[in-house]
Amino acid sequence: MVVPYTHESVRLTGRWAKLPGSAVTTAPGAYIECSFAGDMAVLRFDTTRNLPVVPHLWISVDGGCRTEVMLDRYLRIRTAHTGLHTAQILFKSASEESARWREPLTGAVRFLGVQTDTPVALKPDTRPIMEIIGDSITEGVSIDTDYREGMLPPLECNALTLAFQNDAAATWAFRTAEALNCRPVIMGYGSVGVTRGGQVRVPAAPAAYPYCYNGEPLDIPQADLIVINHGANDYAATPERYAAAYTELLDAVRARSPLATVFAVSAFRGTHREALAELIPEYNRAKGCRVHFVDSAGWIPPEPLHPHRDGHKTVADRLVPIIREAMQKGR
């Protein structure tokens, strides 16, 4: 039988627009879980609007190793033995040059459902929800550029094979959520800042945040934790403009999740570090709240702009204990 994405055997985590007949995401790091009994399941997607470079997915079964595949209409999972299985299908990467905000969404993942003889209801996922809001670093752009041996030269690689080099599941954002046993809800788009829009007409972060993509409101439970990392793409803005736009974003996330603990992490390259350090105490006094400023100065080198896997691991290793300590103190 074919069960829709709304079936109790299917669960979506991340920034998904839940439409009649399909669930759509344009944010790498979003994922699907499905549970079935037997030895086979076929995932179904709508790929009619996708254009090269198509999104890439990670597929793992029963918590095992991930296998990278390119999005296709049908993706078959065949297990080694008959039994109860759970599969995770994660939006690994997309090209920054694919449309992911305005129709036609050539870089989106449109999930329809699963074909399996015996779908099995998933147990509830009661982990805290952690939203991570950032830019191309947060979505994992160029994590694996040191693994492009034998591929095209760098400029052509960026245009044609960048989806092979990106990995949302290896980012500081995803690693931090996993280490804290949280459900990650990741928002990261290339070139976006709090003061400027990004690639293929994605708006600036304060305007984009309330939506999965243009016109489709974000529909997730309120977050328990929110981590923001914006500034790298705001280099052309004055400190005053940056502070004003960052305030807009803080207002938006706190309005949506008023009980969440919020962490404002300074840009890893140091852009507007001083402005953010000054803003957060002022914001807390004005709003009567507790947003945590996290100074990331010196965590990783300023180059490369997009850290490789080891750089992302370093950031997560530094950030996790800071968040954990704040949560243990109930702040």
Side-chain angles (χ1 to χ4, degrees):
M1 70 175 72
V2 178
V3 298
Y5 79 86
T6 54
H7 193 267
E8 62 183 359
S9 64
V10 178
R11 179 165 53 233
L12 306 175
T13 294
R15 297 175 68 90
W16 292 90
K18 301 175 180 70
L19 308 180
S22 66
V24 183
T25 185
T26 66
Y31 60 85
I32 305 156
E33 295 167 282
C34 62
S35 182
F36 62 95
D39 61 4
M40 188 181 299
V42 180
L43 310 166
R44 296 195 172 193
F45 298 90
D46 177 359
T47 61
T48 54
R49 301 176 202 175
N50 291 110
L51 296 174
V53 176
V54 300
H56 287 209
L57 310 174
W58 281 125
I59 296 181
S60 62
V61 180
D62 299 334
C65 299
R66 292 181 174 125
T67 298
E68 181 177 5
V69 300
M70 298 173 70
L71 179 67
D72 209 339
R73 291 182 64 192
Y74 306 106
L75 293 173
R76 187 182 305 271
I77 294 171
R78 182 76 158 83
T79 64
H81 63 275
T82 300
L84 178 62
H85 302 285
T86 300
Q88 183 193 72
I89 305 91
L90 187 144
F91 185 2
K92 172 185 177 286
S93 55
S95 168
E96 290 179 278
E97 298 177 8
S98 297
R100 291 187 290 154
W101 197 259
R102 295 182 182 274
E103 295 282 5
L105 297 173
T106 60
V109 174
R110 293 178 178 82
F111 176 58
L112 303 177
V114 182
Q115 180 179 359
T116 179
D117 291 337
T118 312
V120 177
L122 284 162
K123 296 179 180 178
D125 188 342
T126 59
R127 294 176 298 163
I129 292 175
M130 174 182 283
E131 282 195 81
I132 306 100
I133 304 162
D135 50 31
S136 57
I137 297 174
T138 302
E139 76 163 310
V141 168
S142 296
I143 274 183
D144 287 326
T145 52
D146 53 344
Y147 272 75
R148 67 178 177 222
E149 182 178 348
M151 291 187 180
L152 296 169
L155 290 178
E156 296 179 13
C157 178
N158 284 343
L160 300 177
T161 62
L162 194 55
F164 290 95
Q165 314 305 320
N166 303 350
D167 186 358
T171 61
W172 69 270
F174 205 91
R175 288 175 181 271
T176 297
E178 284 190 315
L180 293 169
N181 195 33
C182 293
R183 293 181 69 184
V185 178
I186 297 174
M187 177 184 182
Y189 294 99
S191 300
V192 169
V194 293
T195 64
R196 56 168 286 176
Q199 300 253 27
V200 288
R201 302 174 71 188
V202 180
Y209 171 74
Y211 299 95
C212 294
Y213 54 87
N214 187 48
E216 287 297 333
L218 179 62
D219 179 21
I220 60 170
Q222 292 188 23
D224 300 284
L225 300 168
I226 299 173
V227 182
I228 303 171
N229 179 243
H230 267 300
N233 293 318
D234 297 294
Y235 53 85
T238 64
E240 294 76 16
R241 173 69 185 116
Y242 173 76
Y246 206 104
T247 297
E248 290 182 46
L249 180 58
L250 285 173
D251 287 345
V253 300
R254 290 188 59 251
R256 195 178 184 287
S257 299
L259 300 180
T261 304
V262 182
F263 297 84
V265 182
S266 66
F268 305 129
R269 301 191 83 193
T271 313
H272 291 304
R273 171 183 167 273
E274 295 81 5
L276 187 60
E278 293 177 5
L279 167 66
I280 297 306
E282 294 174 1
Y283 184 88
N284 287 333
R285 283 193 294 268
K287 306 289 183 175
C289 63
R290 181 66 181 265
V291 176
H292 298 265
F293 170 69
V294 180
D295 187 355
S296 69
W299 286 8
I300 56 175
E303 296 295 338
L305 170 62
H306 296 101
H308 294 158
R309 288 174 180 263
D310 57 349
H312 281 273
K313 182 178 183 302
T314 297
V315 171
D317 288 346
R318 298 292 294 268
L319 183 57
V320 166
I322 294 173
I323 296 178
R324 182 175 286 131
E325 181 181 4
M327 300 308 295
Q328 288 173 346
K329 292 180 178 179
R331 298 187 298 175

